Amino acid sequence: MTTREELRHDWTKEDLLAIYNKPLLQLVYEAAGIHRAWHKADEIQLSTLLSVKTGGCPEDCSYCGQAARYHTDIKVQALLPKETVLAHAKKAKENGSSRFCMAAAWREVRDNRDFDNIIEMVKGVNELGLEVCCTLGMLSENQAKRLQEAGLYAYNHNLDTSAEYYDKIISTRQFNNRINTINNVRKAGITVCSGGIIGLGESKEDRISMLLTLANMEKHPESVPINALARVKGTPLQNNPKVDIWEMVRMVATARIAMPASMVRLSAGRMDMTEPEQAWCFMAGANSIFSGERETLLVTPNPGISEDLQMLQKLGLKPLEKKKTTPYFT
């Protein structure tokens, strides 16, 4: 068993490219071994993601159907009542989820009544015994502190892509805005959930650059989502080709090797994957998925909880129970 002191934070781009480019079976074998050294290989964390405020976002993220400027079929929905959110959280817990994440389509958090309501939601979900996660856009140090005091366990803020490719996908904010929010989350003592999306038109080098940023942080993100582009009609990337499954496997395996203690989440894009393809990702080191009774991941299709539980049973896997502490960050 390796120790915290042996975790690397000095990777080079050449290091990670060499890992990514290994013969596929050798890469998966190596990643599987590291996965088993740090995690129980038969456990998958089930996380539920609920959109508590949908659409109308002023950002221009090219992949996102919630951007107000794109003509999609997604309906704008105001912030849900606390009671509705808690009812979904209770259902998620009953279905085996150990983490409940609330997402709001905001560019940034504002100090207003909506944020006050989010604070109350965090308190309520925390009292249910679930890991509470939020993704609300950019936030300040003080806002992060308020969330931590309310019981927030994790904050999701994906890098999306590399610093070099970022302005090809988003022009309404800068890559450093992402880093600043992650730093504010860390200062508040909240765990970090941050990953990226492949299939945006980026190069292999961009994918590695994104992983490099995460792997060389002073603390690795406790959760690293690997998303395949969900092609939403009406967005600039609607006609991008489907992500090749072996590219997903390589991304998962590289993330696992570079950040062995982190939960690597197989996130958006699972609707386009068969069960055997998802099994390859689990073998390569993925040990977390989003699931739920609504069969959506924010505004895109996602497998339902019953379907996922059947898949896990076939593969000899089981839902991870909530842990009181993270693997090595406490």
Side-chain angles (χ1 to χ4, degrees):
M1 178 71 71
T2 50
T3 66
R4 178 177 181 176
E5 288 70 26
E6 292 172 322
L7 286 172
R8 285 189 59 180
H9 302 268
D10 62 347
W11 297 94
T12 67
K13 196 168 184 177
E14 291 71 27
D15 290 335
L16 296 188
L17 273 171
I19 293 170
Y20 186 93
N21 287 325
K22 284 186 177 184
L24 184 65
L25 296 184
Q26 180 183 340
L27 173 61
V28 171
Y29 180 80
E30 181 178 338
I34 290 174
H35 179 65
R36 281 154 177 74
W38 285 84
H39 306 270
K40 292 183 178 179
D42 63 344
E43 292 184 341
I44 300 292
Q45 182 189 49
L46 297 183
S47 302
T48 296
L49 177 62
L50 177 67
S51 180
V52 298
K53 186 273 176 182
T54 306
C57 182
E59 300 275 43
D60 67 350
C61 307
S62 300
Y63 55 81
C64 186
Q66 299 197 68
R69 67 192 67 206
Y70 304 139
H71 300 290
T72 67
D73 295 329
I74 295 166
K75 296 179 181 179
V76 175
Q77 168 197 284
L79 190 67
L80 293 174
K82 174 185 173 182
E83 294 72 21
T84 301
V85 173
L86 293 184
H88 282 291
K90 290 175 183 176
K91 185 68 173 177
K93 184 177 180 181
E94 291 170 2
N95 287 332
S97 286
S98 59
R99 176 176 293 197
F100 187 79
C101 188
M102 296 173 282
W106 294 330
R107 180 179 189 272
E108 58 197 347
V109 173
R110 299 184 183 278
D111 295 308
N112 55 21
R113 183 177 297 178
D114 279 347
F115 186 44
D116 292 340
N117 289 334
I118 290 286
I119 293 294
E120 292 305 310
M121 293 177 194
V122 170
K123 292 178 180 178
V125 175
N126 186 50
E127 289 172 359
L128 293 174
L130 290 163
E131 292 180 0
V132 196
C133 177
C134 280
T135 177
L136 313 169
M138 295 181 287
L139 78 169
S140 67
E141 281 188 54
N142 186 61
Q143 290 163 344
K145 185 178 179 181
R146 284 191 66 193
L147 287 165
Q148 188 275 334
E149 290 172 347
L152 191 72
Y153 179 84
Y155 195 82
N156 168 258
H157 206 60
N158 289 332
L159 298 182
D160 291 341
T161 189
S162 69
E164 298 80 6
Y165 194 66
Y166 195 79
D167 62 2
K168 305 293 192 302
I169 301 300
I170 304 165
S171 69
T172 49
R173 74 172 95 174
Q174 297 179 335
F175 187 80
N176 280 342
N177 295 139
R178 296 276 183 178
I179 301 298
N180 290 340
T181 290
I182 291 172
N183 289 339
N184 290 338
V185 168
R186 279 288 182 215
K187 290 175 186 176
I190 300 169
T191 67
V192 170
C193 174
S194 187
I197 308 169
I198 68 172
L200 304 176
E202 77 287 346
S203 66
K204 182 195 311 182
E205 287 72 19
D206 286 314
R207 296 173 185 175
I208 292 304
S209 181
M210 184 270 293
L211 287 180
L212 184 69
T213 299
L214 298 172
N216 281 348
M217 288 180 173
E218 186 177 351
K219 288 185 178 179
H220 296 157
E222 286 85 346
S223 180
V224 180
I226 303 297
N227 298 272
L229 174 67
R231 297 162 291 174
V232 180
K233 186 177 180 180
T235 63
L237 302 184
Q238 65 176 359
N239 294 320
N240 277 29
K242 176 180 176 292
V243 173
D244 182 82
I245 184 57
W246 304 119
E247 296 302 305
M248 282 293 290
V249 170
R250 288 184 181 279
M251 282 293 289
V252 167
T254 305
R256 170 53 65 219
I257 292 169
M259 295 171 278
S262 303
M263 304 296 290
V264 177
R265 179 175 299 126
L266 190 58
S267 200
R270 287 202 299 123
M271 283 299 291
D272 287 334
M273 297 182 194
T274 65
E275 286 187 352
E277 287 173 342
Q278 292 181 70
W280 269 98
C281 292
F282 297 142
M283 180 62 71
N287 60 342
S288 179
I289 58 173
F290 274 124
S291 195
E293 86 274 10
R294 300 187 78 179
E295 301 187 357
T296 58
L297 187 62
L298 294 182
V299 294
T300 57
N302 193 65
I305 184 65
S306 60
E307 185 179 352
D308 280 334
L309 290 175
Q310 289 175 14
M311 174 182 67
L312 296 185
Q313 186 176 26
K314 289 177 187 177
L315 298 176
L317 303 172
K318 60 186 179 183
L320 170 72
E321 294 184 4
K322 181 188 172 185
K323 296 180 179 179
K324 293 183 180 180
T325 59
T326 50
Y328 74 96
F329 294 93
T330 56

